[in-house]
Amino acid sequence: MANPFLQRATEYIRDETAFLAVVSPQPLTTFLTKHPRRDDLFRLPVRILGSPGSGKTMLATLAEFRLVEAILRDQSNDANRELAAALADAGFLRDGRPRIAAVRVPMESEYRDFWELPYEDAVKTKLAMWLVQARTMLALLRGLTANGTRDLDDIRFVARDASEAQLEQIGGLSAAGIRDRALQVQRAIYSIGASLLPPRIEDLPPEATEPYQPFDSIREIEIIWNGEPIEVSPLVMLDDVHALHPDQFEQMFGAMARREIRFGRWMMMRLDALSPKAVFRSAEALETHNLKPDRDFINVFMQRQADRASERRQFRTIANDMANRYLPLVKALRDRNQTRFGRLVPDEPPRLTDARRKQLRSTVEKDQRRLEIGRGRREAIEQLVSAYFAGKEGGDKEPEVELAMCRILMHRYAKRVAHLEPTLFEDMDPDPKVPLKADADVADAARLFLNEEFGRPFHYGMNDLCDASNENAELFLQLCGALVARMEARVVQGKSPALPAAVQQTVLKETAAAIMNGWSFPFAKRIRTLIAGIGQDCRATSLVPNARLGAGANAIGVPQAEIRDLLASKDDLALVLKYAVAYGALDVQMNYGQGNKIWCLIELSGLACLAHGLTFKRSGFLERDLSYVRELVGLT
């Protein structure tokens, strides 16, 4: 059987049962239930933005009425009950009944073709808008009748107040009338876009030019649910609106973003459809078509929230749930009663061999002699390290980490007392003005040193797997797929499927390199070169003996003023950085204050940190300027 983790695109799963078996409810909770404007998501237009693979289509598919109804009608298993609870918390259900009738409408490339027609922009926008609305109404009716529990006679539409004049144009309020009118509009407009030669505007069929605005006319839908009438609010989720021409998107977004809407409208799109300013999350750039976020529309970002620690904790929950749902589909592992993915990628610390540990001890002693550190100071440093580990529960507490931490603290001590006069007493080294401290950053720096000098694995375990995925569901499953392939191979060889730390790191690093080499988005070659340069410099700085940047560097800091000027220009470098961020190769943190300066941090993604053996923590950064970036990408 094919590796299910690599068949990860949920939009290609046609069977509802198969989809519900692997889909996780966590994105509903993370991105909708916990959204600060949760109660307004159905009364204002919503843009749901994320990089490819972040889960936009999965979220939209799960919210469709046909699946919501399938979930509610089968509450015999825990998975469906969990999904129903998440849907209720997100506002799709009320009192165990549907509250929202949602439908997903893919925005295929043919909509963009309308922008090439030889008509005025207003005419082209109306043609595309009316086609979208016609297909929405048809898809909505299919969804409401999909499970065979009701027919068209059980569906009735409720008009908005003062919309009497618009009812005739949409076919009235009966389901049959609305279906027939939508079919007419769809046939007429489709024939225009599909023509080899577009007709003259005066020859356009009346079904295509007469007003058609069900989004502005309909308030609610009355349906029969379990033998009783209920009212549900309609919602259209336009998927992949980034496929539209940029000017076309602006026109359509402006037409759809009207206040006091009753027919909900969500637009799912990739970040690369936005301007460089918007991708960098510049507040003024998030405005579009003279509409302001939070007032006229709501943005839901599926990545890069303000609190990175919180975002990572949320994604770890999502990722664990996803992995555990996919795991039973792997026969070789299911036959061995493996039900928790985390147990197959244990975070048990690796250990150096006795010979390697002896070599490490010799290295530390040589550094002590070279730095002229006395026995008393060495013992004081060892006590600091021992006290740190004594107060720490679990984690990597192997003796080699203690030794490597002592080495780092000795180098720090030597730096801090280099300008001080020696004491009169033997073995009484002077105290530094800034006391030494053993903490988690020093421990991480020690592990990085051990990885470089002794090949001790640095990246392993479920948390590292999640953090390497950059909060991207598709990327997470891709990395999991490579690990699962190795697990299956071990089963064939008669070994335990659980992967030791060294195997995990090897597989993950190879997979990360392969994914990055396969990037084909705009400027991908330049972006790979940029990442390689930053990665090499960060690795070199992270490995200095005194670990001056703690856990290490995985970013550069560019003065915020330089970035602000760049984003306001037409410079190609702004486009390179935009696509790097939009496709998850880099991340940015604007207005980062440090050292009495304001920086824009350009951070390597989790995948790039994995490939270059760098920390996933937001730790230190290298101070650079845009000329450094420009030279690396070859735009000098």
Side-chain angles (χ1 to χ4, degrees), residues 157 181 196 348 399 467 541:
F157 291 83
R181 174 62 175 145
L196 290 175
E348 182 181 346
D467 294 348
T541 302

Side-chain angles (χ1 to χ4, degrees), residues 247-317:
D247 294 336
Q248 183 184 30
F249 168 74
E250 288 293 321
Q251 295 285 337
M252 292 184 66
F253 185 79
M256 296 183 70
R258 297 180 178 178
R259 298 189 187 184
E260 298 182 5
I261 65 173
R262 293 293 181 269
F263 200 122
R265 51 207 74 174
W266 292 1
M267 286 145 275
M268 334 288 285
M269 59 189 296
R270 293 202 309 243
L271 286 170
D272 62 338
L274 304 178
S275 67
K277 274 188 177 183
V279 170
F280 273 58
R281 302 285 286 275
S282 173
E284 68 275 9
L286 292 175
E287 300 182 12
T288 183
H289 207 78
N290 297 319
L291 301 169
K292 293 184 179 295
D294 294 326
R295 186 195 71 182
D296 300 305
F297 64 94
I298 296 173
N299 282 319
V300 176
F301 287 92
M302 298 192 73
Q303 289 160 305
R304 298 193 305 116
Q305 302 171 6
D307 185 350
R308 166 171 285 194
S310 173
E311 183 179 41
R312 284 190 167 171
R313 284 194 300 270
Q314 290 174 351
F315 183 75
R316 287 174 183 178
T317 301

Side-chain angles (χ1 to χ4, degrees), residues 438-456:
D439 56 20
D441 283 344
V442 176
D444 283 339
R447 296 181 187 103
L448 192 63
F449 163 74
L450 293 172
N451 174 252
E452 174 73 9
E453 297 297 329
F454 297 93
R456 186 180 190 266

Side-chain angles (χ1 to χ4, degrees), residues 128-301:
M129 275 292 299
W130 292 345
L131 180 59
V132 167
Q133 293 183 75
R135 287 182 169 170
T136 297
M137 300 311 296
L138 293 172
L140 188 56
L141 289 171
R142 284 195 300 271
L144 291 170
T145 58
N147 294 307
T149 56
R150 68 185 62 84
D151 54 31
L152 293 181
D153 293 335
D154 297 321
I155 302 169
R156 180 179 174 275
F157 291 83
V158 180
R160 291 186 58 178
D161 296 338
S163 63
E164 293 81 2
Q166 297 173 314
L167 296 184
E168 184 177 350
Q169 60 171 263
I170 68 171
L173 294 176
S174 70
I178 284 180
R179 178 202 59 192
D180 294 343
R181 174 62 175 145
L183 286 170
Q184 290 176 354
V185 173
Q186 177 181 245
R187 280 195 296 266
I189 298 179
Y190 179 78
S191 67
I192 297 170
S195 299
L196 290 175
L197 293 175
R200 297 178 303 171
I201 192 165
E202 57 267 23
D203 295 333
L204 295 179
E207 293 83 359
T209 57
E210 294 173 353
Y212 180 73
Q213 297 174 302
F215 287 179
D216 295 336
S217 309
I218 295 171
R219 174 170 61 87
E220 288 182 324
I221 308 171
E222 291 183 355
I223 64 172
I224 301 299
W225 172 263
N226 289 341
E228 298 179 3
I230 64 170
E231 289 187 346
V232 291
S233 299
L235 168 68
V236 60
M237 300 174 290
L238 303 179
D239 200 4
D240 293 338
V241 295
H242 52 263
L244 298 172
H245 186 281
D247 294 336
Q248 183 184 30
F249 168 74
E250 288 293 321
Q251 295 285 337
M252 292 184 66
F253 185 79
M256 296 183 70
R258 297 180 178 178
R259 298 189 187 184
E260 298 182 5
I261 65 173
R262 293 293 181 269
F263 200 122
R265 51 207 74 174
W266 292 1
M267 286 145 275
M268 334 288 285
M269 59 189 296
R270 293 202 309 243
L271 286 170
D272 62 338
L274 304 178
S275 67
K277 274 188 177 183
V279 170
F280 273 58
R281 302 285 286 275
S282 173
E284 68 275 9
L286 292 175
E287 300 182 12
T288 183
H289 207 78
N290 297 319
L291 301 169
K292 293 184 179 295
D294 294 326
R295 186 195 71 182
D296 300 305
F297 64 94
I298 296 173
N299 282 319
V300 176
F301 287 92

Side-chain angles (χ1 to χ4, degrees), residues 377 413 416-418 420-423 427-433:
R377 181 59 57 181
Y413 173 81
R416 294 177 187 182
V417 301
L420 300 178
E421 293 292 333
T423 64
D427 269 352
M428 290 294 291
D429 296 329
D431 291 327
K433 289 185 178 180

